[in-house]
Structures are given as structure tokens and as C-alpha cells.
């Protein structure tokens, strides 16, 4: 162990304003230690010492997934690391927040965490109060704004979901009202048929033709507007040729049901000419009823799908940590955000079907997808192409969100993950969306979140381990 020299400590920016008595006290309770190249302390270990570099070189890093990501590399005298939050006491976990190693024989002034806490509290009481207020106040403010950010996202999603649900619900209501009219018309027509001069054989034939018409409706193919118009003209001409009034009104339903003039020829051959018009109108009621029931079925299926997507997105009926299919999470998020994405944004999905399910917190990953999609749409000003791509890379699952917006300027690219940093106008962004996403991906899932950007091509990549132990024991503040 080297000798501690107060005059040497005075040359460091951290101690240059201390009195001779204070420098002497530091040398009395601290020590100067030479450390050979290698690790000094590891992230997550109990924070026992405060280190100040006297000479040499050090590297600090943080654990991201299975890799150590370098945070800083320096040989500047006076830089410090270690237990620098010791003055907060047991109000925060006293553990090293990063790892440090030295790359050359290096000398450090070392203070035990308890001694560092004591001298900071005794010598700088006002500064301690200010730092405590800044630390806990910023943390509390960040939590409040984070909750506000989530509420804003929830409100936006609710508005989009309400809009998406309203369309099929309104369609089902309209179809139900029309169906009621058609069923009433069928009852009226049935009364006329039953009371008219029709033979039993004619009625049997009508019922048989009715059943075949219903079968054709279920198998009808979608026609282009031009083909549909041509077929409507042909059916209208057929009805005029057979003295059936109002053929133009009847033709669209027959065409939509997949019925053509050849099929009507079969109807004409199967029934007596005297009842042909009644048969055609009876069949029109049947066709319209089947079409309306199909419309109701499509609308209610759409509503059911949206409800399922909302349940999948919110994960209300699932455990917070589970093995999940990332593609299901992405699909549900894109469906929930369809209203916000808008019709002018083209969404392209390039999913790798061979990717396996991964252990994760699905509700929080959905929040990440929401933030990244929302930022992409905002960057493109509601018009462009959003590409969502997945693939496997080095034992990780990668999800990429690519937009065709103007890009992120290089001078702010390194700041976009900082809390409260935003380029949106006042009132339109809190600056926490990407910070929250980074915490969820890196701290909660031990993954990584990176960005590459140039004009017309911005890519956010989320890298998640394909297999990992449950990380739910991580500190809650990291997951906020």
C-alpha cells in the first residue's frame, strides 16, 4: 500500500477546494492502492469502496444480456467510481451500478463507503440535502411522468380501439335493421304464395331453388367493380327479357351472391312461367337475407378479433412473466394502433416464422412496441412505410422497426434515450417513451435497444435473449 500525500490529493479536481485539515483527514481514513490490470469490482456486488484515479487507466462497463457493454474508458486523473451513492444510506440499494477494471497498473485513492458517507454528510450538509432532493425528487417526478405517459398511451389506444369497434358495430346494426325488413318481406311474400293459385309442385320447386341459392351465396367470389357492373347489366337485361319489373334493383344482390343469368335460366326452366316473377323476387329476399347475415357475421367476427387483440395487448388474463410468441405481441400491438397509424402509413411485416417463443414480460414488451411504433408514425408525419422485421442473431431474437421519416440528426442521436429528452413540441411528448423502452428491454429483459438513422431510413432494433432466467427480482425502479 502506497503512502497517501495530501498535496497529491489537492491536485485532483474533486479535492482542490478542501482545507489542509480536511485533506489530512482523508489521508488518515483512506488509503492509496496500486491495482494491477484486471477487474476491480463487478456490477451488482455490494458497494464497499469509493475509488478516485490518481494515475493509470480504467474502463467502466454495464452488463447487457450476456455481454459487457463499455460505458467509459479514461486515464483522466480524478475520475471516480464505486460507492458514490453511499451518502443516501439504506434508502437505495448500496450496490455497484457498473463494473470497473484497469488496463494498466493504476493508483487509486480509496475510501470505505461508510467513511465516504460520513465525511460528505459532515463536511457538505447543504450539498447532501440538495443531492438527496435532486435524486429522490427526480425519481418521484420520473415515476409520475412515466405514469402520465402510460395513461396518455392508454387514452390514445382507447380512442383508436373505440373507433375500430364503432365501424363493425355500426355495420352490424345497419345489417340487422335491413335484415328485419327483408324477413318481414319474406313473411308477406310467403303469405301471397301460400294463398295464390300455386301448385304444390311449384312450391316444392321454389323451396329447392331457394336452398340452392343459399348455397351459392356462401361460395360467391369477390368480383372487381368492372366485372360486377357487367354482370349487373346482364342480369338486368335478362329480367327485362322475362318481363320482370325493376330488374335494376334486383340485379346487385344476385351478382353479390354469385348468381348469373345462366343460373336464372335454370330457375326459369324449373318453374312455371306464371310464377317466374314471384319466384325471382322470393329468391331475391333469400339472397339478401343470406348476404345480410354474412355481413353481421363478418362484423361480429371483427369485433371479437379486436377484443382478442385488446386482451392479448393488455395481457390481463396472463401471468406477468411467461413464454410468449413475439409475433403475437407485435400483431396485437399493430392491430390496436391501426387507428393511430392511419391509412397513409403502409405497414410491412417481415416475420421469421422459425423463431421460437421466448421468456418475457409480454405486457411490458407491448409497451415497447407501442412507443417505437408511435415514434415512427410521428417521425413520418402520418405518411410513409413502417417495416416491422424479426430474425435470429447470435442466440438472440431481434425485432426491428424501420420508418421512412427524415431521420435523427447525429448531434441528438446519443441523447434520445435520456429521460425527459424529446424533440416533440411542448405538450406533445414527455421524453420518457424511449427511456421507459430502454429500461424495459435492458434492465428487465437483459437485452439491448439501439438505433441507426439516416434520412429516409431510421431503424430501432430490440435485441432479446432467446432464453434467460426470470428477471422479475430486478429492482422495481429499473422497470418503471
Amino acid at each position: 500500500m502506497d503512502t497517501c500525500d495530501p498535496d497529491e490529493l489537492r491536485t485532483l479536481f474533486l479535492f482542490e477546494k478542501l482545507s489542509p485539515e480536511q485533506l489530512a483527514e482523508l489521508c488518515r481514513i483512506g488509503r492509496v492502492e496500486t491495482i494491477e490490470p484486471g477487474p476491480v469490482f463487478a456490477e451488482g456486488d455490494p458497494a464497499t469502496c469509493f475509488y478516485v484515479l490518481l494515475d493509470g487507466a480504467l474502463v467502466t462497463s454495464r452488463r447487457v444480456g450476456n455481454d459487457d457493454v463499455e460505458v467509459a474508458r479514461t486515464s483522466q486523473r480524478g475520475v471516480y467510481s464505486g460507492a458514490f451513492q453511499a451518502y443516501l444510506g439504506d434508502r437505495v440499494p448500496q450496490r455497484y451500478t457498473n463494473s470497473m477494471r484497469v488496463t494498466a497498473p493504476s493508483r487509486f485513492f480509496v475510501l470505505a463507503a461508510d467513511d465516504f458517507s460520513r465525511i460528505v454528510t459532515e463536511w457538505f450538509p447543504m450539498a447532501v440535502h440538495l443531492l438527496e432532493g435532486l435524486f429522490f425528487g427526480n425519481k418521484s417526478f420520473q415515476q409520475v411522468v412515466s405514469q402520465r405517459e402510460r395513461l396518455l398511451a392508454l387514452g390514445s389506444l382507447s380512442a383508436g380501439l373505440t373507433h375500430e369497434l364503432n365501424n363493425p358495430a355500426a355495420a352490424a346494426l345497419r345489417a340487422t335493421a335491413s335484415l328485419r325488413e327483408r324477413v318481414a318481406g319474406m313473411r308477406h311474400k310467403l303469405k301471397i304464395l301460400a294463398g295464390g293459385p300455386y301448385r304444390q309442385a311449384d312450391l316444392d320447386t321454389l323451396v329447392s331453388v331457394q336452398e340452392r341459392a343459399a348455397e351459392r351465396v356462401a361460395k360467391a367470389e369477390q368480383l372487381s367493380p368492372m366485372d360486377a357492373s357487367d354482370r349487373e347489366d346482364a342480369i338486368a337485361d335478362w329480367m327485362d327479357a322475362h318481363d320482370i319489373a325493376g330488374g335494376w334493383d334486383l340485379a346487385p344482390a344476385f351478382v353479390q351472391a354469385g348468381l348469373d343469368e345462366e343460373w336464372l335460366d335454370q330457375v326459369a326452366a324449373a318453374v312455371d312461367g306464371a310464377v317466374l316473377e314471384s319466384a325471382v323476387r322470393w329468391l331475391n329476399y333469400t339472397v339478401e337475407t343470406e348476404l345480410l347475415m354474412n355481413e353481421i357475421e363478418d362484423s361480429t367476427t371483427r369485433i371479437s378479433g379486436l377484443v382478442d387483440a385488446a386482451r392479448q395487448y393488455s395481457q390481463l388474463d396472463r401471468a406477468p412473466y411467461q413464454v410468449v410468441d413475439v409475433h403475437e405481441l407485435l400483431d396485437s400491438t399493430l392491430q390496436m394502433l391501426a387507428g393511430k397509424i392511419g391509412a397513409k402509413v403502409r405497414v410491412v411485416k417481415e416475420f421469421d416464422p422459425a423463431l421460437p417463443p421466448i421468456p418475457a414480460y409480454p405486457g411490458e414488451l407491448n409497451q415497447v412496441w407501442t412507443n417505437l411504433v408511435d415514434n415512427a408514425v410521428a417521425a413520418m408525419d402520418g405518411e410513409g412505410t413502417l417495416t416491422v422485421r424479426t430474425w435470429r442473431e447470435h442466440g438472440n431474437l431481434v425485432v426491428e422497426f424501420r420508418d421512412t421519416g427524415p431521420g435523427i440528426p447525429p448531434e441528438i442521436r446519443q441523447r434520445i434515450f435520456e429521460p425527459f429528452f424529446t424533440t416533440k413540441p411542448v405538450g406533445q411528448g414527455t421524453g420518457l417513451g424511449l427511456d421507459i423502452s430502454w429500461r424495459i428491454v435492458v434492465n428487465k429483459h437483459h437485452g439491448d435497444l439501439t438505433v441507426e438513422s439516416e434520412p429516409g431510413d431510421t431503424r430501432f432494433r430490440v435485441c432479446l435473449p432467446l432464453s434467460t432466467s426470470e428477471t422479475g427480482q430486478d429492482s422495481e425502479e429499473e422497470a418503471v
Side-chain angles (χ1 to χ4, degrees):
M1 183 180 300
D2 300 334
T3 302
C4 179
D5 183 359
D7 291 333
E8 183 179 23
L9 293 185
R10 189 186 299 278
T11 63
L12 305 177
F13 64 85
L14 197 61
F15 305 132
E16 61 184 357
K17 299 297 183 181
L18 297 183
S19 67
E21 292 77 14
Q22 289 173 322
L23 292 173
E25 175 68 7
L26 286 179
C27 279
R28 186 183 68 80
I29 62 176
R31 67 183 186 275
V32 173
E33 184 176 342
T34 298
I35 301 177
E36 295 299 320
V40 180
F41 56 79
E43 178 182 352
D45 288 348
T48 58
C49 293
F50 176 72
Y51 294 85
V52 183
L53 182 65
L54 295 173
D55 54 66
L58 63 83
V59 176
T60 58
S61 61
R62 289 204 66 180
R63 192 73 173 170
V64 178
N66 297 320
D67 303 317
D68 287 318
V69 178
E70 185 174 308
V71 176
R73 178 184 292 263
T74 183
S75 58
Q76 180 182 352
R77 299 180 69 249
V79 296
Y80 56 88
S81 188
F84 53 82
Q85 291 184 346
Y87 65 90
L88 295 172
D90 57 6
R91 287 171 291 179
V92 298
Q94 290 298 329
R95 295 184 177 277
Y96 292 119
T97 58
N98 57 19
S99 298
M100 187 176 78
R101 60 186 174 88
V102 294
T103 57
S106 303
R107 294 172 62 244
F108 288 90
F109 174 69
V110 184
L111 272 177
D114 291 342
D115 290 331
F116 173 70
S117 174
R118 178 180 59 80
I119 64 171
V120 169
T121 303
E122 291 179 358
W123 294 357
F124 313 105
M126 182 176 177
V128 169
H129 287 305
L130 291 174
L131 288 172
E132 287 177 345
L134 179 64
F135 181 85
F136 292 109
N138 185 64
K139 180 180 175 182
S140 176
F141 180 65
Q142 183 171 336
Q143 289 176 341
V144 171
V145 177
S146 172
Q147 292 172 356
R148 176 64 175 171
E149 177 93 2
R150 297 185 185 190
L151 286 174
L152 289 173
L154 178 60
S156 177
L157 286 173
S158 299
L161 181 60
T162 300
H163 175 76
E164 291 293 316
L165 286 171
N166 182 67
N167 290 335
L173 286 174
R174 289 193 301 269
T176 301
S178 298
L179 179 61
R180 183 174 288 109
E181 294 178 1
R182 299 304 184 275
V183 171
M186 287 185 70
R187 291 197 301 266
H188 179 69
K189 182 60 68 176
L190 180 61
K191 179 180 179 181
I192 295 176
L193 290 173
Y198 302 111
R199 298 171 300 173
Q200 181 64 41
D202 292 332
L203 295 176
D204 291 342
T205 300
L206 281 176
V207 173
S208 177
V209 171
Q210 181 187 38
E211 292 176 352
R212 294 201 302 273
E215 293 175 358
R216 291 286 291 269
V217 172
K219 300 176 182 178
E221 61 181 21
Q222 189 73 26
L223 298 177
S224 67
M226 186 64 71
D227 290 340
S229 178
D230 291 341
R231 290 198 183 185
E232 288 175 11
D233 290 341
I235 289 179
D237 292 342
W238 185 93
M239 292 188 180
D240 288 342
H242 290 77
D243 298 325
I244 299 176
W248 283 105
D249 293 332
L250 303 177
F254 282 110
V255 171
Q256 190 177 355
L259 308 179
D260 53 22
E261 64 272 20
E262 294 181 2
W263 186 86
L264 289 172
D265 285 336
Q266 296 176 16
V267 175
V271 301
D272 188 86
V275 299
L276 178 59
E277 182 170 355
S278 295
V280 169
R281 294 190 180 280
W282 169 261
L283 292 176
N284 181 67
Y285 281 124
T286 300
V287 167
E288 288 187 334
T289 300
E290 289 293 324
L291 291 174
L292 289 169
M293 287 192 292
N294 286 346
E295 185 175 346
I296 293 172
E297 182 181 14
D298 290 342
S299 298
T300 53
T301 299
R302 170 66 175 159
I303 292 172
S304 178
L306 286 169
V307 172
D308 286 341
R311 183 183 298 114
Q312 170 71 23
Y313 179 85
S314 64
Q315 298 291 312
L316 290 177
D317 58 347
R318 303 195 179 190
Y321 184 84
Q322 59 181 296
V323 176
V324 295
D325 184 341
V326 168
H327 295 150
E328 290 183 359
L329 303 182
L330 291 168
D331 282 333
S332 67
T333 301
L334 291 172
Q335 191 170 3
M336 290 289 292
L337 294 173
K340 190 168 189 178
I341 292 173
K344 293 184 179 180
V345 174
R346 176 171 170 257
V347 179
V348 178
K349 294 188 289 187
E350 299 178 359
F351 294 167
D352 181 357
L355 287 177
I358 64 169
Y361 296 87
E364 299 196 28
L365 285 183
N366 280 338
Q367 186 178 4
V368 175
W369 314 149
T370 299
N371 290 336
L372 296 181
V373 170
D374 182 63
N375 283 349
V377 173
M380 294 185 290
D381 198 19
E383 185 172 358
T385 300
L386 171 64
T387 303
V388 184
R389 181 181 169 219
T390 64
W391 71 90
R392 183 172 186 160
E393 183 177 280
H394 306 308
N396 294 304
L397 184 151
V398 182
V399 182
E400 180 183 79
F401 294 83
R402 179 181 181 184
D403 69 69
T404 56
I408 304 172
E411 59 269 19
I412 68 171
R413 200 170 301 160
Q414 300 302 318
R415 299 191 59 198
I416 60 174
F417 295 111
E418 293 180 8
F420 310 112
F421 179 79
T422 179
T423 58
K424 295 179 181 178
V426 175
Q428 295 186 20
T430 61
L432 283 178
L434 289 177
D435 174 59
I436 291 171
S437 300
W438 192 90
R439 289 171 180 270
I440 290 173
V441 172
V442 176
N443 294 341
K444 197 87 173 190
H445 290 86
H446 291 176
D448 197 12
L449 175 57
T450 59
V451 62
E452 296 178 3
S453 182
E454 60 184 41
D457 186 8
T458 297
R459 308 183 186 198
F460 281 88
R461 290 196 182 102
V462 177
C463 184
L464 300 168
L466 284 171
S467 60
T468 182
S469 60
E470 183 170 349
T471 56
Q473 302 305 317
D474 289 354
S475 61
E476 192 62 29
E477 64 266 21
E478 288 183 338
V480 173

